[in-house]
């Protein structure tokens, strides 16, 4: 399959990859894994699952071990009542690495996955060789207070039994708001993708878990401030921001938490960098201040109105 081809629905993972369910930290994590070489762990965010990484996995599988989990409560992972603070979810991911026999990994993270990735890197820095952070803020870091005051961020506090009742059976309506507002051309997050992810978020407990990811932000902010008090990260960090969404702010946020940061603004691009219109795998060579080699898949996306 051409890496430049558009695929309706989720881009398929390489056939050599397998799925596993890993019991760790009081929950069950669904993981796609395959390949040999340096490990790359890909962490998704809200509105998608680990399925978002099929395109990048296909580009890396020949010389990397690819690990693409579903976060706690999302996708095909179990949906416990609690544990959605990102420090606890970092323990989920470390448990996954342990179960797979992976000592050190590169992280590629998007949206909520950035927050989990930072907690992994802050609590277990010796296990993260590089970190790619794509288009999202970090609770309690940099411009966080201004971000939370934006009325468009009302979903940060949306959750609880009444909200679950409001959304039950209407998951697609709720999710369409994110897919539409965070992509320039709504058609680029195509109907097949929407149906796929809406079905996963309509599973029992999935929306409750999705809300819980946001409702944990206050605890995440406190934890992140504690991490920062211990010093900045020293591993290389590549920060991607969609020009029309988080844009240059991603670099500013990452420089608050890490000393070795390169930031890249993806032009004419919204939030859904891997979903909207996959085009190419970018090879960042040693001429970059971070040698992320064949790690990052970028797309040309669209414009949107915020994160």
């Amino acid at each position: 399959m051409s890496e430049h081809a558009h695929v309706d629905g989720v881009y398929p993972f390489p056939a050599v990859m397998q799925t596993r369910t890993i019991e760790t930290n009081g929950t069950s994590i669904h993981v796609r894994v395959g390949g040999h070489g340096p490990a790359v762990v890909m962490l998704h965010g809200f509105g998608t699952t680990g399925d978002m990484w099929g395109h990048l996995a296909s580009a890396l599988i020949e010389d990397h071990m690819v690990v693409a989990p579903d976060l706690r409560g999302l996708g095909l992972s179990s949906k416990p009542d609690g544990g959605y603070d990102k420090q606890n979810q970092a323990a989920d991911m470390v448990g996954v690495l342990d179960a797979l026999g992976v000592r050190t990994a590169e992280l590629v993270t998007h949206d909520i996955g950035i927050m989990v990735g930072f907690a992994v890197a802050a609590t277990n820095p010796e296990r993260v060789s590089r970190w790619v952070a794509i288009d999202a803020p970090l609770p309690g870091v940099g411009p966080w207070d201004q971000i939370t005051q934006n009325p468009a961020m009302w979903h940060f506090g949306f959750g609880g039994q009444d909200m679950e009742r409001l959304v039950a059976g209407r998951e697609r309506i709720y999710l369409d708001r994110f897919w539409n507002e965070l992509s320039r051309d709504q058609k680029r997050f195509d109907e097949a993708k929407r149906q796929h992810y809406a079905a996963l978020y309509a599973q029992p407990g999935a929306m409750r878990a999705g809300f819980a990811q946001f409702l944990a932000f206050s605890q995440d902010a406190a934890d992140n401030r504690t991490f920062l008090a211990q010093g900045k990260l020293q591993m290389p960090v590549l920060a991607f921001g969609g020009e029309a969404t988080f844009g240059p702010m991603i670099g500013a946020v990452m420089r608050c938490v890490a000393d070795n940061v390169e930031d890249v603004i993806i032009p004419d691009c919204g939030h859904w960098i891997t979903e909207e219109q996959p085009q190419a795998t970018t090879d960042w060579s040693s001429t970059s201040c971070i040698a992320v080699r064949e790690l990052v898949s970028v797309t040309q996306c669209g414009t949107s109105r915020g994160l």
Side-chain angles (χ1 to χ4, degrees):
M1 181 177 297
S2 169
E3 67 179 6
H4 298 283
H6 174 79
V7 174
D8 286 336
V10 297
Y11 196 99
F13 280 89
V16 297
M17 292 188 68
Q18 301 177 339
T19 59
R20 289 185 54 180
T21 299
I22 295 176
E23 303 290 335
T24 182
N25 195 31
T27 193
S28 300
I29 301 296
H30 177 76
V31 183
R32 306 148 196 82
V33 60
H36 301 280
V40 180
V41 178
M42 306 172 182
L43 302 180
H44 67 92
F46 182 77
T48 61
T49 69
D51 289 338
M52 71 175 280
W53 299 115
H55 184 271
L56 181 54
S58 297
L60 297 178
I61 194 68
E62 289 186 6
D63 55 5
H64 289 79
M65 178 182 181
V66 176
V67 182
D70 288 340
L71 295 180
R72 170 183 290 247
L74 301 180
L76 298 181
S77 291
S78 65
K79 296 159 179 62
D81 290 339
Y84 294 94
D85 62 278
K86 308 313 175 287
Q87 184 171 356
N88 188 63
Q89 292 192 73
D92 294 347
M93 295 304 110
V94 171
V96 167
L97 294 179
D98 289 343
L100 296 175
V102 174
R103 180 60 189 167
T104 304
E106 298 170 331
L107 297 180
V108 182
T109 61
H110 178 251
D111 193 78
I112 297 290
I114 284 185
M115 304 173 189
V116 178
F118 175 54
V120 173
T123 56
N124 295 269
E126 75 285 355
R127 304 196 68 167
V128 179
S129 58
R130 299 180 180 96
W131 177 27
V132 178
I134 305 173
D135 209 67
L138 287 172
V141 174
W144 179 252
D145 288 343
Q146 297 97 299
I147 291 169
T148 59
Q149 291 169 15
N150 184 340
M153 299 298 106
W154 59 265
H155 56 277
F156 283 7
F158 189 78
Q161 292 185 352
D162 290 336
M163 288 72 165
E164 291 170 31
R165 290 170 57 206
L166 283 170
V167 175
R170 306 176 182 88
E171 295 85 4
R172 171 64 185 271
I173 297 172
Y174 185 74
L175 291 165
D176 272 341
R177 178 250 171 175
F178 295 88
W179 298 328
N180 291 342
E181 292 190 6
L182 300 183
S183 43
R184 179 186 188 185
D185 182 348
Q186 299 175 9
K187 294 178 182 178
R188 290 178 177 174
F189 204 114
D190 59 67
E191 178 62 21
K193 288 183 178 68
R194 292 171 188 245
Q195 291 183 16
H196 175 85
Y197 288 121
L200 288 169
Y201 278 83
Q203 295 176 102
M207 270 308 205
R208 172 184 51 78
F211 295 152
Q213 298 283 354
F214 295 107
L215 294 178
F217 281 175
S218 293
Q219 182 61 53
D220 298 334
D223 291 339
N224 288 347
R225 293 184 184 109
T226 299
F227 298 151
L228 284 178
Q230 299 167 1
K232 291 185 178 183
L233 301 178
Q234 296 304 303
M235 75 283 294
V237 177
L238 177 63
F240 272 2
E243 181 183 38
T245 47
F246 208 46
M249 288 175 57
I250 186 72
V253 168
M254 290 302 121
R255 288 186 176 89
C256 291
V257 302
D259 280 332
N260 185 0
V261 177
E262 180 181 3
D263 57 308
V264 178
I265 299 174
I266 308 302
D268 190 30
C269 185
H271 182 59
W272 307 106
I273 287 175
T274 62
E275 284 80 14
E276 292 190 45
Q277 197 173 17
Q279 283 195 337
T281 299
T282 300
D283 182 9
W284 290 89
S285 69
S286 58
T287 57
S288 169
C289 69
I290 327 172
V292 287
R293 304 192 311 170
E294 297 172 304
L295 190 56
V296 183
S297 176
V298 298
T299 64
Q300 285 188 339
C301 317
T303 307
S304 82
R305 292 185 293 276
L307 181 67

